Amino acid sequence: MRAIALEVSELLMGSVRSDGLHADGRAEFFGKIDLLTRMQEGEIRVSAPAISMSSVDLVRTSGIDISVLAWAHSCHKSAYACGQCRGCFKHQAVMAELGYEPY
């Protein structure tokens, strides 16, 4: 209801191609969530515009500065990057593919 009060018309979800390994990272999932939220008051749309892109493609397309990207992480164990979980390994791999030294 807060989103409706703020006149939000669309929620953009940050999902990329590799998230499709999980049911809630697939285009079909976002399609069904979109159908559900459009049925509710406010008819808010839900989309995942980068779902067909790799993480590296998304970073390159976005033009995000490395100083910002270096702070990003998706640690599965901590509020800070632990460097030892699947999420941290993915971040390290993306940074390496972009040509930056892993931390």
Side-chain angles (χ1 to χ4, degrees):
M1 294 312 297
R2 182 68 179 142
I4 293 169
L6 294 172
E7 299 182 7
V8 171
S9 61
E10 184 174 13
L11 296 175
L12 302 177
M13 306 302 286
S15 202
V16 292
R17 186 173 51 230
S18 62
D19 294 333
L21 297 171
H22 310 283
D24 64 354
R26 296 182 188 136
E28 298 82 13
F29 176 84
F30 291 110
K32 289 181 181 182
I33 293 295
D34 180 59
L35 280 171
L36 177 66
T37 57
R38 281 189 292 145
M39 291 174 55
Q40 295 179 316
E41 295 85 0
E43 300 178 12
I44 296 173
R45 302 297 311 253
V46 174
S47 65
I51 201 155
S52 65
M53 302 173 84
S54 72
S55 296
V56 170
D57 291 339
L58 176 57
V59 170
R60 287 183 176 144
T61 300
S62 73
I64 190 170
D65 190 86
I66 189 63
S67 64
V68 174
L69 185 61
W71 283 96
H73 74 283
S74 185
C75 185
H76 298 197
K77 297 181 179 184
S78 175
Y80 302 97
C82 73
Q84 299 299 314
C85 70
R86 190 168 37 102
C88 288
F89 292 152
K90 179 180 177 182
H91 180 76
Q92 293 167 9
V94 169
M95 294 296 281
E97 191 172 340
L98 289 168
Y100 298 100
E101 289 293 318
Y103 46 86

